[in-house]
Amino acid sequence: MLEFGMLLIMIVALVGVVAVYLRGRGSFRPAQGETGTLYVTGVSPRPDDLVGEQFVTITGNVTGPTVQGTVVYGRFAWDVNAWPSIGDLITVVYPAGKPERWQIAHPGARPSLGS
């Protein structure tokens, strides 16, 4: 009887560990989220004396199928030769109903010109 109890405790513990692991991995899945557009309203200055990727802070409004004009910001590594500017449109993904958790849809892609 003691062996059965220990086996049951070990199985429950294993199921708990697997559940925590899977829940942590699935906290944000862009494939299951919504696709929207970020209209850039602010961007940190482009570094003049540096090359390659540098950090940029972007502020803008995300619009999508279920959200309209939610103000967001984020920090990314960006190539200084393709620095974003105000007015750019960037395709983003975010969990349904949570645009504040946005990510760039294709990190290698560069923004299209807004106007």
Side-chain angles (χ1 to χ4, degrees):
M1 186 68 170
L2 182 62
E3 292 86 9
F4 177 74
M6 290 301 292
L7 179 63
L8 184 62
I9 290 172
M10 289 175 30
I11 290 173
V12 169
L14 179 63
V15 169
V17 168
V18 170
V20 168
Y21 174 75
L22 292 177
R23 190 175 77 192
R25 283 184 43 212
S27 62
F28 178 71
R29 297 180 190 203
Q32 295 178 351
E34 295 180 350
T35 301
T37 303
L38 173 71
Y39 177 76
V40 178
T41 58
V43 62
S44 58
R46 180 182 176 272
D48 293 328
D49 56 343
L50 299 174
V51 295
E53 288 190 345
Q54 300 297 323
F55 284 108
V56 62
T57 301
I58 300 174
T59 304
N61 295 314
V62 170
T63 57
T66 60
V67 297
Q68 294 298 319
T70 302
V71 177
V72 296
Y73 70 94
R75 187 171 188 225
F76 303 94
W78 212 278
D79 184 358
V80 295
N81 295 321
W83 207 253
S85 60
I86 294 174
D88 285 347
L89 298 173
I90 302 173
T91 303
V92 298
V93 292
Y94 54 90
K98 297 180 182 177
E100 62 279 354
R101 294 182 57 201
W102 66 283
Q103 295 181 352
I104 295 176
H106 306 284
R110 295 297 170 222
S112 61
L113 297 177
S115 53

